[in-house]
Coordinates of all heavy atoms in Angstrom, one line a residue:
M1 N 16.0 11.8 86.0 CA 16.5 12.7 87.1 C 17.5 13.6 86.3 O 18.6 13.2 85.9 CB 17.2 11.9 88.1 CG 17.9 12.7 89.2 SD 18.8 11.9 90.5 CE 18.1 10.2 90.6
S2 N 17.1 14.9 86.2 CA 18.0 15.9 85.6 C 19.0 16.4 86.5 O 18.8 16.4 87.8 CB 17.1 17.0 85.0 OG 17.9 18.0 84.5
F3 N 20.1 16.9 86.0 CA 21.2 17.4 86.8 C 20.8 18.7 87.6 O 21.5 19.1 88.5 CB 22.5 17.7 86.0 CG 23.1 16.4 85.6 CD1 23.2 16.1 84.2 CD2 23.6 15.4 86.4 CE1 23.8 15.0 83.7 CE2 24.2 14.3 86.0 CZ 24.3 14.0 84.6
T4 N 19.8 19.4 87.1 CA 19.4 20.7 87.6 C 18.3 20.6 88.6 O 17.7 21.6 89.0 CB 19.0 21.6 86.5 OG1 18.0 21.1 85.7 CG2 20.2 21.9 85.6
T5 N 17.9 19.4 89.1 CA 16.7 19.3 90.0 C 17.3 19.1 91.4 O 18.4 18.7 91.7 CB 15.9 18.0 89.6 OG1 16.7 16.9 89.7 CG2 15.3 18.2 88.2
F6 N 16.3 19.4 92.3 CA 16.6 19.2 93.7 C 16.8 17.7 94.1 O 17.6 17.4 94.9 CB 15.5 19.7 94.6 CG 15.7 19.5 96.1 CD1 16.5 20.3 96.8 CD2 14.9 18.5 96.7 CE1 16.8 20.0 98.1 CE2 15.1 18.3 98.1 CZ 16.0 19.0 98.8
T7 N 16.1 16.8 93.3 CA 16.2 15.4 93.5 C 17.7 15.0 93.3 O 18.2 14.2 94.0 CB 15.3 14.7 92.6 OG1 14.0 15.1 92.8 CG2 15.3 13.2 92.9
F8 N 18.3 15.4 92.2 CA 19.6 15.1 91.9 C 20.6 15.6 92.9 O 21.5 14.9 93.3 CB 20.1 15.6 90.5 CG 21.5 15.2 90.2 CD1 21.9 14.0 89.9 CD2 22.5 16.2 90.3 CE1 23.2 13.6 89.6 CE2 23.8 15.9 90.1 CZ 24.2 14.6 89.7
A9 N 20.4 16.8 93.4 CA 21.3 17.5 94.4 C 21.2 16.6 95.7 O 22.2 16.3 96.3 CB 20.9 18.9 94.7
F10 N 20.0 16.2 96.1 CA 19.8 15.3 97.3 C 20.5 14.0 97.0 O 21.3 13.5 97.9 CB 18.3 15.1 97.5 CG 18.0 14.3 98.7 CD1 18.3 14.8 100.0 CD2 17.6 13.0 98.6 CE1 18.0 14.1 101.1 CE2 17.3 12.3 99.7 CZ 17.5 12.8 101.0
F11 N 20.3 13.4 95.9 CA 20.9 12.1 95.6 C 22.5 12.2 95.6 O 23.2 11.3 96.1 CB 20.5 11.6 94.2 CG 21.0 10.4 93.7 CD1 20.6 9.1 94.2 CD2 22.0 10.4 92.7 CE1 21.2 8.0 93.7 CE2 22.6 9.2 92.2 CZ 22.2 8.0 92.8
F12 N 23.0 13.3 95.0 CA 24.4 13.5 95.0 C 25.0 13.7 96.4 O 26.1 13.1 96.7 CB 24.7 14.8 94.2 CG 26.2 15.1 93.9 CD1 26.9 14.3 93.0 CD2 26.8 16.1 94.6 CE1 28.2 14.6 92.8 CE2 28.2 16.3 94.4 CZ 28.9 15.6 93.5
V13 N 24.3 14.4 97.2 CA 24.8 14.6 98.6 C 24.8 13.3 99.4 O 25.7 13.0 100.1 CB 24.0 15.7 99.3 CG1 24.3 15.7 100.8 CG2 24.3 17.1 98.7
I14 N 23.7 12.6 99.3 CA 23.6 11.3 100.0 C 24.7 10.3 99.5 O 25.3 9.6 100.3 CB 22.2 10.7 99.8 CG1 21.1 11.5 100.5 CG2 22.1 9.3 100.3 CD1 21.3 11.7 102.0
T15 N 24.9 10.3 98.2 CA 26.0 9.4 97.6 C 27.3 9.8 98.2 O 28.1 8.9 98.6 CB 26.0 9.5 96.1 OG1 24.7 9.1 95.6 CG2 27.0 8.6 95.5
G16 N 27.6 11.1 98.2 CA 28.9 11.6 98.8 C 29.1 11.2 100.2 O 30.1 10.8 100.6
I17 N 28.0 11.4 101.0 CA 28.1 11.0 102.5 C 28.3 9.5 102.6 O 29.2 9.1 103.4 CB 26.8 11.4 103.2 CG1 26.7 13.0 103.3 CG2 26.7 10.8 104.6 CD1 25.4 13.6 103.7
L18 N 27.5 8.7 101.9 CA 27.7 7.2 102.0 C 29.2 6.8 101.5 O 29.8 5.9 102.1 CB 26.7 6.5 101.1 CG 25.3 6.4 101.6 CD1 24.4 5.8 100.6 CD2 25.3 5.7 102.9
Y19 N 29.6 7.5 100.5 CA 31.0 7.2 100.0 C 32.1 7.4 101.1 O 32.9 6.6 101.3 CB 31.3 8.1 98.8 CG 32.7 7.8 98.3 CD1 33.0 6.7 97.5 CD2 33.7 8.7 98.5 CE1 34.3 6.6 96.9 CE2 35.0 8.5 98.1 CZ 35.3 7.5 97.2 OH 36.6 7.3 96.8
Y20 N 31.9 8.6 101.8 CA 33.0 8.9 102.8 C 32.8 8.2 104.2 O 33.8 8.1 104.9 CB 33.0 10.4 103.0 CG 33.7 11.1 101.8 CD1 33.0 11.9 100.9 CD2 35.1 10.8 101.6 CE1 33.7 12.5 99.8 CE2 35.7 11.4 100.5 CZ 35.0 12.2 99.6 OH 35.6 12.8 98.6
I21 N 31.6 7.7 104.5 CA 31.5 7.0 105.8 C 31.7 5.5 105.7 O 31.9 4.9 106.6 CB 30.1 7.3 106.4 CG1 28.9 6.7 105.6 CG2 29.9 8.8 106.7 CD1 27.6 6.8 106.3
C22 N 31.7 5.0 104.4 CA 32.0 3.6 104.2 C 33.4 3.3 104.3 O 34.3 4.1 104.0 CB 31.4 3.1 102.9 SG 29.7 3.0 102.8
P23 N 33.8 2.1 104.7 CA 35.2 1.7 104.6 C 35.7 1.8 103.2 O 35.0 1.7 102.2 CB 35.2 0.2 105.1 CG 33.9 0.0 105.8 CD 33.0 1.0 105.2
A24 N 37.1 1.9 103.1 CA 37.7 2.1 101.8 C 37.4 1.0 100.8 O 37.2 1.2 99.6 CB 39.2 2.3 101.9
R25 N 37.2 -0.2 101.3 CA 37.0 -1.4 100.3 C 35.6 -1.4 99.8 O 35.3 -2.1 98.9 CB 37.3 -2.7 101.0 CG 36.5 -3.0 102.2 CD 36.9 -4.3 102.8 NE 35.7 -4.9 103.3 CZ 35.6 -6.1 103.8 NH1 36.7 -6.9 103.8 NH2 34.5 -6.7 104.2
W26 N 34.7 -0.7 100.4 CA 33.3 -0.6 99.9 C 33.0 0.6 99.1 O 31.9 0.8 98.5 CB 32.3 -0.6 101.1 CG 32.2 -1.9 101.8 CD1 33.0 -3.0 101.6 CD2 31.4 -2.2 102.9 NE1 32.6 -4.0 102.5 CE2 31.7 -3.5 103.3 CE3 30.4 -1.4 103.6 CZ2 31.0 -4.1 104.4 CZ3 29.8 -2.0 104.7 CH2 30.1 -3.4 105.1
Q27 N 33.9 1.6 99.0 CA 33.6 2.9 98.3 C 33.3 2.7 96.9 O 32.4 3.3 96.3 CB 34.8 3.8 98.6 CG 34.8 4.4 100.0 CD 36.0 5.2 100.2 OE1 37.0 5.3 99.5 NE2 35.9 6.0 101.3
N28 N 34.1 1.8 96.2 CA 33.8 1.6 94.8 C 32.4 1.0 94.6 O 31.7 1.3 93.6 CB 34.8 0.7 94.1 CG 36.1 1.5 93.9 OD1 36.2 2.7 93.9 ND2 37.2 0.8 93.8
G29 N 32.0 0.1 95.5 CA 30.7 -0.5 95.4 C 29.6 0.5 95.6 O 28.5 0.4 95.0
V30 N 29.8 1.5 96.5 CA 28.8 2.5 96.7 C 28.7 3.4 95.5 O 27.5 3.7 95.1 CB 29.3 3.4 97.9 CG1 28.4 4.7 98.0 CG2 29.2 2.7 99.2
L31 N 29.8 3.7 94.8 CA 29.7 4.5 93.6 C 29.0 3.7 92.5 O 28.2 4.2 91.7 CB 31.1 4.9 93.2 CG 31.7 6.0 94.1 CD1 33.1 6.3 93.5 CD2 30.8 7.2 94.2
L32 N 29.3 2.4 92.4 CA 28.7 1.5 91.4 C 27.2 1.5 91.6 O 26.4 1.5 90.7 CB 29.4 0.2 91.3 CG 28.8 -0.8 90.3 CD1 29.1 -0.2 88.9 CD2 29.4 -2.2 90.5
A33 N 26.8 1.3 92.9 CA 25.3 1.2 93.2 C 24.6 2.5 92.9 O 23.5 2.5 92.4 CB 25.2 0.7 94.7
A34 N 25.3 3.6 93.3 CA 24.7 4.9 93.0 C 24.5 5.1 91.5 O 23.5 5.7 91.1 CB 25.5 6.0 93.6
N35 N 25.5 4.7 90.8 CA 25.5 4.8 89.3 C 24.3 4.0 88.7 O 23.6 4.5 87.8 CB 26.8 4.4 88.7 CG 27.0 4.9 87.3 OD1 26.2 5.7 86.8 ND2 28.1 4.6 86.7
L36 N 24.2 2.8 89.3 CA 23.1 1.9 88.8 C 21.8 2.5 89.1 O 20.8 2.5 88.3 CB 23.2 0.6 89.4 CG 22.3 -0.5 89.0 CD1 22.4 -0.7 87.5 CD2 22.6 -1.8 89.7
V37 N 21.6 3.0 90.3 CA 20.3 3.7 90.7 C 20.0 4.9 89.8 O 18.9 5.1 89.4 CB 20.3 4.1 92.2 CG1 19.2 5.0 92.6 CG2 20.3 2.9 93.1
F38 N 21.0 5.7 89.5 CA 20.8 6.9 88.6 C 20.4 6.4 87.2 O 19.5 7.0 86.7 CB 22.2 7.6 88.6 CG 22.1 8.8 87.7 CD1 21.4 10.0 88.1 CD2 22.6 8.8 86.4 CE1 21.4 11.1 87.3 CE2 22.6 9.9 85.6 CZ 21.9 11.1 86.1
Y39 N 21.0 5.4 86.7 CA 20.6 4.9 85.4 C 19.2 4.2 85.4 O 18.4 4.4 84.5 CB 21.6 3.9 84.8 CG 22.8 4.7 84.1 CD1 24.0 5.0 84.8 CD2 22.6 5.1 82.8 CE1 25.0 5.6 84.2 CE2 23.7 5.8 82.2 CZ 24.8 6.0 82.9 OH 25.8 6.7 82.2
L40 N 18.9 3.5 86.5 CA 17.6 2.9 86.6 C 16.5 3.9 86.7 O 15.4 3.7 86.2 CB 17.5 1.9 87.8 CG 18.1 0.5 87.6 CD1 18.2 -0.2 88.9 CD2 17.2 -0.2 86.6
W41 N 16.8 5.0 87.3 CA 15.8 6.2 87.5 C 15.4 6.7 86.1 O 14.3 7.0 85.9 CB 16.5 7.2 88.3 CG 15.5 8.3 88.8 CD1 14.8 9.2 88.1 CD2 15.2 8.5 90.2 NE1 14.1 9.9 89.0 CE2 14.3 9.6 90.2 CE3 15.7 7.9 91.4 CZ2 13.8 10.0 91.4 CZ3 15.2 8.4 92.5 CH2 14.3 9.4 92.6
N42 N 16.4 6.7 85.2 CA 16.1 7.3 83.9 C 15.7 6.2 82.8 O 14.7 6.4 82.1 CB 17.3 8.0 83.3 CG 17.5 9.3 84.1 OD1 16.6 10.0 84.5 ND2 18.8 9.6 84.3
S43 N 16.4 5.2 82.8 CA 16.2 4.2 81.7 C 16.7 2.8 82.1 O 17.9 2.6 82.3 CB 16.9 4.6 80.4 OG 16.8 3.6 79.5
P44 N 15.8 1.9 82.3 CA 16.2 0.5 82.7 C 17.1 -0.2 81.6 O 18.0 -0.9 81.9 CB 14.9 -0.3 82.8 CG 13.9 0.7 83.1 CD 14.3 2.0 82.4
A45 N 16.9 0.2 80.3 CA 17.8 -0.3 79.3 C 19.2 0.2 79.5 O 20.2 -0.6 79.2 CB 17.2 0.1 77.9
A46 N 19.4 1.5 79.8 CA 20.7 2.0 80.1 C 21.4 1.3 81.3 O 22.6 1.1 81.3 CB 20.7 3.5 80.3
A47 N 20.6 0.9 82.3 CA 21.1 0.2 83.4 C 21.6 -1.2 83.0 O 22.6 -1.6 83.5 CB 20.1 0.1 84.5
L48 N 20.9 -1.8 82.1 CA 21.3 -3.1 81.6 C 22.7 -3.0 80.9 O 23.6 -3.8 81.1 CB 20.3 -3.7 80.7 CG 20.6 -5.1 80.1 CD1 20.7 -6.1 81.3 CD2 19.5 -5.5 79.2
I49 N 22.8 -2.0 80.1 CA 24.1 -1.7 79.4 C 25.2 -1.5 80.4 O 26.3 -2.0 80.3 CB 23.9 -0.5 78.5 CG1 22.9 -0.9 77.3 CG2 25.3 -0.2 77.9 CD1 22.5 0.3 76.5
L50 N 24.9 -0.7 81.5 CA 25.9 -0.5 82.5 C 26.3 -1.8 83.2 O 27.5 -2.0 83.5 CB 25.3 0.5 83.5 CG 26.2 0.8 84.8 CD1 27.5 1.5 84.3 CD2 25.5 1.5 85.8
I51 N 25.4 -2.7 83.5 CA 25.7 -3.9 84.2 C 26.5 -4.8 83.3 O 27.5 -5.4 83.7 CB 24.3 -4.6 84.6 CG1 23.7 -3.9 85.7 CG2 24.6 -6.0 85.0 CD1 22.3 -4.3 86.0
V52 N 26.2 -4.9 82.0 CA 27.0 -5.7 81.1 C 28.4 -5.2 81.0 O 29.4 -5.9 81.0 CB 26.3 -5.8 79.7 CG1 27.3 -6.4 78.6 CG2 25.1 -6.5 79.8
A53 N 28.6 -3.8 80.9 CA 29.9 -3.2 80.7 C 30.7 -3.5 82.0 O 31.9 -3.8 81.9 CB 29.8 -1.7 80.4
A54 N 30.1 -3.2 83.2 CA 30.8 -3.4 84.4 C 31.2 -4.8 84.7 O 32.4 -5.1 85.1 CB 29.9 -2.8 85.6
L55 N 30.3 -5.8 84.5 CA 30.7 -7.2 84.7 C 31.7 -7.6 83.7 O 32.6 -8.4 84.1 CB 29.4 -8.0 84.7 CG 28.5 -7.9 85.8 CD1 27.2 -8.8 85.6 CD2 29.2 -8.3 87.1
S56 N 31.6 -7.3 82.5 CA 32.6 -7.7 81.5 C 34.0 -7.1 81.8 O 35.0 -7.8 81.7 CB 32.2 -7.4 80.1 OG 32.0 -6.1 79.9
A57 N 34.0 -5.8 82.2 CA 35.3 -5.3 82.6 C 35.9 -5.9 83.8 O 37.1 -6.1 83.9 CB 35.1 -3.7 82.8
Y58 N 35.0 -6.2 84.8 CA 35.5 -6.8 86.1 C 36.1 -8.2 85.7 O 37.2 -8.5 86.2 CB 34.3 -7.0 87.0 CG 34.6 -7.8 88.2 CD1 35.4 -7.2 89.3 CD2 34.2 -9.1 88.4 CE1 35.7 -7.9 90.4 CE2 34.5 -9.8 89.5 CZ 35.3 -9.2 90.5 OH 35.6 -10.0 91.6
W59 N 35.4 -9.0 84.9 CA 35.9 -10.3 84.7 C 37.2 -10.3 83.8 O 38.0 -11.2 83.9 CB 34.8 -11.2 84.1 CG 33.8 -11.6 85.1 CD1 32.5 -11.2 85.1 CD2 34.0 -12.4 86.2 NE1 31.9 -11.7 86.3 CE2 32.8 -12.5 86.9 CE3 35.1 -13.1 86.8 CZ2 32.7 -13.2 88.2 CZ3 35.0 -13.8 87.9 CH2 33.8 -13.8 88.6
A60 N 37.2 -9.4 82.9 CA 38.5 -9.2 82.1 C 39.6 -8.8 83.0 O 40.8 -9.3 82.8 CB 38.3 -8.2 81.0
G61 N 39.4 -8.0 84.0 CA 40.4 -7.6 84.9 C 40.9 -8.7 85.8 O 42.1 -8.9 86.0
R62 N 39.9 -9.5 86.2 CA 40.3 -10.7 87.0 C 41.1 -11.7 86.1 O 42.1 -12.3 86.6 CB 39.0 -11.4 87.5 CG 38.2 -10.7 88.5 CD 38.8 -10.7 89.8 NE 39.0 -12.0 90.3 CZ 38.6 -12.4 91.5 NH1 38.0 -11.6 92.3 NH2 38.9 -13.6 91.9
Y63 N 40.7 -11.9 84.9 CA 41.4 -12.8 84.0 C 42.9 -12.3 83.7 O 43.8 -13.1 83.8 CB 40.7 -12.9 82.7 CG 41.4 -13.9 81.7 CD1 41.2 -15.3 81.8 CD2 42.2 -13.4 80.7 CE1 41.8 -16.1 81.0 CE2 42.9 -14.3 79.9 CZ 42.7 -15.7 80.0 OH 43.3 -16.6 79.2
T64 N 43.0 -11.0 83.5 CA 44.4 -10.5 83.2 C 45.2 -10.5 84.5 O 46.4 -10.6 84.4 CB 44.3 -9.0 82.7 OG1 43.6 -8.2 83.6 CG2 43.7 -9.0 81.3
Q65 N 44.6 -10.4 85.7 CA 45.4 -10.5 86.9 C 45.9 -11.9 87.1 O 47.0 -12.2 87.6 CB 44.5 -10.1 88.1 CG 45.2 -10.0 89.4 CD 44.4 -9.5 90.5 OE1 43.1 -9.5 90.4 NE2 45.0 -9.0 91.6
A66 N 45.0 -12.9 86.7 CA 45.4 -14.3 86.9 C 46.4 -14.8 85.8 O 47.2 -15.6 86.0 CB 44.2 -15.2 86.8
H67 N 46.4 -14.1 84.6 CA 47.3 -14.4 83.5 C 47.9 -13.1 83.0 O 47.5 -12.5 82.1 CB 46.5 -15.0 82.3 CG 45.7 -16.2 82.7 ND1 44.4 -16.2 83.1 CD2 46.0 -17.5 82.7 CE1 44.0 -17.4 83.4 NE2 44.9 -18.2 83.1
P68 N 49.0 -12.7 83.7 CA 49.6 -11.4 83.5 C 50.2 -11.2 82.1 O 50.2 -10.1 81.6 CB 50.7 -11.3 84.5 CG 50.6 -12.4 85.5 CD 49.7 -13.4 84.8
G69 N 50.6 -12.2 81.4 CA 51.1 -12.1 80.1 C 50.1 -12.0 78.9 O 50.5 -11.7 77.8
S70 N 48.9 -12.2 79.3 CA 47.8 -12.3 78.2 C 47.3 -10.9 77.9 O 46.7 -10.2 78.7 CB 46.7 -13.2 78.7 OG 45.6 -13.1 77.7
K71 N 47.5 -10.5 76.7 CA 47.0 -9.2 76.2 C 45.7 -9.3 75.5 O 45.1 -8.3 75.2 CB 48.1 -8.5 75.3 CG 49.3 -8.1 76.0 CD 50.2 -7.4 75.1 CE 51.5 -7.0 75.9 NZ 52.5 -6.3 75.0
L72 N 45.4 -10.6 75.1 CA 44.2 -10.8 74.4 C 42.9 -10.3 75.1 O 42.0 -9.7 74.6 CB 44.0 -12.3 74.0 CG 42.8 -12.7 73.2 CD1 42.8 -12.0 71.9 CD2 42.7 -14.2 73.1
A73 N 42.8 -10.6 76.5 CA 41.7 -10.1 77.2 C 41.6 -8.6 77.3 O 40.5 -8.1 77.2 CB 41.8 -10.7 78.7
V74 N 42.7 -8.0 77.4 CA 42.7 -6.5 77.4 C 42.2 -6.0 76.1 O 41.3 -5.1 76.0 CB 44.1 -6.0 77.7 CG1 44.1 -4.4 77.6 CG2 44.6 -6.4 79.0
W75 N 42.7 -6.5 74.9 CA 42.1 -6.1 73.6 C 40.7 -6.4 73.5 O 39.9 -5.5 72.9 CB 43.0 -6.7 72.5 CG 44.3 -6.0 72.3 CD1 45.5 -6.5 72.8 CD2 44.5 -4.7 71.7 NE1 46.5 -5.6 72.5 CE2 45.9 -4.5 71.8 CE3 43.7 -3.8 71.1 CZ2 46.5 -3.3 71.3 CZ3 44.2 -2.6 70.7 CH2 45.6 -2.4 70.7
M76 N 40.3 -7.6 73.9 CA 38.9 -7.9 73.8 C 37.9 -7.0 74.5 O 36.9 -6.6 74.1 CB 38.6 -9.4 74.1 CG 39.3 -10.4 73.2 SD 38.9 -10.3 71.5 CE 37.2 -11.0 71.6
I77 N 38.3 -6.7 75.8 CA 37.4 -5.9 76.6 C 37.4 -4.4 76.1 O 36.4 -3.7 76.1 CB 37.8 -6.0 78.1 CG1 36.7 -5.3 79.0 CG2 39.1 -5.2 78.4 CD1 35.4 -6.0 78.9
C78 N 38.6 -4.0 75.6 CA 38.6 -2.6 75.0 C 37.7 -2.6 73.7 O 36.9 -1.6 73.6 CB 40.0 -2.2 74.6 SG 41.0 -1.8 76.0
L79 N 37.8 -3.6 72.9 CA 36.9 -3.6 71.7 C 35.4 -3.7 72.1 O 34.6 -3.0 71.5 CB 37.2 -4.8 70.8 CG 38.5 -4.7 70.0 CD1 38.8 -6.0 69.3 CD2 38.4 -3.6 69.0
L80 N 35.1 -4.5 73.1 CA 33.7 -4.6 73.6 C 33.2 -3.2 74.1 O 32.2 -2.8 73.7 CB 33.6 -5.7 74.7 CG 32.2 -5.7 75.3 CD1 31.2 -6.3 74.3 CD2 32.2 -6.5 76.6
L81 N 34.0 -2.6 75.0 CA 33.5 -1.4 75.7 C 33.5 -0.2 74.7 O 32.6 0.6 74.7 CB 34.4 -1.0 76.9 CG 34.3 -2.1 78.0 CD1 35.3 -1.7 79.1 CD2 32.9 -2.2 78.5
F82 N 34.5 -0.1 73.8 CA 34.5 1.0 72.8 C 33.4 0.7 71.8 O 32.8 1.7 71.3 CB 35.8 1.2 72.1 CG 36.8 1.9 73.0 CD1 38.1 1.3 73.2 CD2 36.5 3.1 73.5 CE1 39.0 2.0 74.0 CE2 37.4 3.8 74.3 CZ 38.7 3.2 74.6
G83 N 33.1 -0.6 71.5 CA 32.0 -0.9 70.6 C 30.7 -0.5 71.2 O 29.8 0.0 70.5
M84 N 30.5 -0.8 72.5 CA 29.3 -0.4 73.2 C 29.1 1.1 73.1 O 28.0 1.7 72.9 CB 29.2 -1.0 74.6 CG 29.0 -2.4 74.6 SD 29.2 -3.1 76.3 CE 27.7 -2.5 77.1
L85 N 30.2 1.8 73.4 CA 30.2 3.3 73.4 C 29.8 3.8 72.1 O 28.9 4.7 72.0 CB 31.5 3.8 73.8 CG 31.7 5.3 73.8 CD1 30.8 6.0 74.9 CD2 33.1 5.7 74.0
F86 N 30.4 3.2 71.0 CA 30.1 3.7 69.6 C 28.6 3.4 69.4 O 27.9 4.3 68.8 CB 31.0 3.0 68.7 CG 30.7 3.4 67.2 CD1 31.1 4.6 66.7 CD2 29.9 2.6 66.4 CE1 30.9 5.0 65.4 CE2 29.7 2.9 65.1 CZ 30.1 4.2 64.7
V87 N 28.1 2.2 69.6 CA 26.8 1.9 69.3 C 25.7 2.8 69.9 O 24.8 3.3 69.3 CB 26.5 0.4 69.5 CG1 25.0 0.1 69.4 CG2 27.2 -0.5 68.5
Y88 N 25.9 2.9 71.3 CA 24.9 3.6 72.0 C 25.0 5.1 72.1 O 24.0 5.8 72.4 CB 24.8 3.0 73.4 CG 24.2 1.6 73.4 CD1 25.1 0.6 73.6 CD2 22.9 1.4 73.2 CE1 24.6 -0.7 73.6 CE2 22.4 0.1 73.1 CZ 23.3 -0.9 73.3 OH 22.8 -2.2 73.3
K89 N 26.2 5.7 71.7 CA 26.4 7.1 71.8 C 26.5 7.7 70.4 O 26.0 8.8 70.2 CB 27.6 7.4 72.7 CG 27.7 8.9 72.9 CD 28.6 9.1 74.1 CE 28.7 10.6 74.3 NZ 27.9 11.1 75.4
Y90 N 27.2 7.1 69.5 CA 27.6 7.7 68.3 C 27.0 7.1 67.0 O 27.1 7.7 65.9 CB 29.1 7.7 68.1 CG 29.9 8.4 69.2 CD1 30.6 7.8 70.2 CD2 29.7 9.8 69.3 CE1 31.3 8.4 71.2 CE2 30.3 10.5 70.4 CZ 31.1 9.8 71.2 OH 31.7 10.5 72.2
L91 N 26.3 6.0 67.1 CA 25.8 5.4 65.9 C 24.7 6.2 65.2 O 24.7 6.4 64.0 CB 25.2 4.0 66.1 CG 24.8 3.2 64.9 CD1 26.1 2.9 64.0 CD2 24.2 1.9 65.3
N92 N 23.9 6.8 66.0 CA 22.8 7.7 65.4 C 23.5 8.9 64.7 O 23.0 9.3 63.7 CB 21.9 8.2 66.5 CG 20.9 7.1 66.9 OD1 20.7 6.1 66.1 ND2 20.4 7.2 68.1
F93 N 24.5 9.5 65.3 CA 25.2 10.6 64.6 C 25.7 10.2 63.3 O 25.5 10.9 62.3 CB 26.2 11.2 65.6 CG 27.1 12.3 64.9 CD1 26.6 13.5 64.7 CD2 28.3 12.0 64.5 CE1 27.4 14.5 64.1 CE2 29.1 12.9 63.9 CZ 28.6 14.2 63.7
F94 N 26.5 9.1 63.3 CA 27.1 8.8 62.0 C 26.2 8.2 61.0 O 26.3 8.4 59.8 CB 28.2 7.7 62.3 CG 29.4 8.3 62.9 CD1 29.8 8.0 64.2 CD2 30.3 9.2 62.2 CE1 30.9 8.5 64.8 CE2 31.4 9.8 62.8 CZ 31.7 9.5 64.1
S95 N 25.1 7.5 61.4 CA 24.2 7.0 60.4 C 23.2 8.1 59.9 O 22.8 8.0 58.7 CB 23.3 5.9 61.0 OG 22.5 6.4 62.1
G96 N 23.0 9.2 60.6 CA 22.2 10.3 60.2 C 22.9 11.3 59.3 O 22.3 12.1 58.7
S97 N 24.2 11.2 59.3 CA 25.0 12.2 58.5 C 25.5 11.7 57.2 O 26.5 12.3 56.7 CB 26.1 12.8 59.4 OG 27.0 11.8 59.7
R98 N 25.0 10.6 56.7 CA 25.5 10.1 55.4 C 24.9 10.9 54.3 O 23.8 11.4 54.3 CB 25.0 8.6 55.3 CG 25.7 7.7 56.1 CD 25.4 6.3 55.7 NE 25.4 5.4 56.8 CZ 24.9 4.3 56.9 NH1 24.1 3.8 55.9 NH2 25.0 3.5 57.9
Q99 N 25.8 11.0 53.3 CA 25.3 11.7 52.1 C 25.1 10.7 51.0 O 26.0 10.0 50.6 CB 26.4 12.8 51.7 CG 26.5 13.9 52.7 CD 27.6 14.9 52.2 OE1 28.1 14.8 51.1 NE2 27.9 15.8 53.1
T100 N 23.9 10.7 50.4 CA 23.6 9.7 49.4 C 23.2 10.4 48.1 O 22.8 11.5 48.1 CB 22.5 8.7 49.8 OG1 21.4 9.4 50.2 CG2 23.1 7.8 50.9

């Protein structure tokens, strides 16, 4: 689904309407579900990456809420998420620009 298609415009409008008519406690869930549908539309592998990132960030947040003094979980989730970002977005750029 490209950003310049009618399908995306329709999807965007429906997502916005659902976001504003839902109760405040469900709004983040609506956005997460819309994000998942958008990624599934293009690439199921990208949706799997999104699910892993979202669940790991959620559980790290729950852990740090239960253990306020623990910075280890924050550092671990930052390393995981930035590592995923690097691998899936920037690894091809850096591996293709080596000079040998």
Side-chain angles (χ1 to χ4, degrees):
M1 177 183 336
S2 175
F3 292 119
T4 59
T5 62
F6 177 74
T7 306
F8 177 76
F10 182 72
F11 178 75
F12 185 75
V13 168
I14 295 300
T15 301
I17 291 170
L18 285 174
Y19 178 81
Y20 285 111
I21 65 171
C22 284
R25 64 182 216 172
W26 291 2
Q27 288 177 342
N28 286 340
V30 167
L31 292 179
L32 182 63
N35 200 4
L36 185 59
V37 168
F38 180 76
Y39 276 95
L40 277 171
W41 195 292
N42 291 322
S43 170
L48 180 63
I49 295 165
L50 175 69
I51 291 169
V52 168
L55 287 176
S56 59
Y58 174 76
W59 288 113
R62 295 286 302 231
Y63 181 82
T64 56
Q65 187 177 19
H67 304 91
S70 174
K71 294 182 182 180
L72 180 62
V74 175
W75 281 104
M76 295 300 289
I77 193 61
C78 286
L79 285 174
L80 175 71
L81 294 176
F82 283 125
M84 290 173 68
L85 176 69
F86 178 78
V87 167
Y88 291 104
K89 188 163 178 101
Y90 298 113
L91 187 62
N92 286 337
F93 173 74
F94 286 113
S95 65
S97 62
R98 286 190 211 161
Q99 296 179 8
T100 55

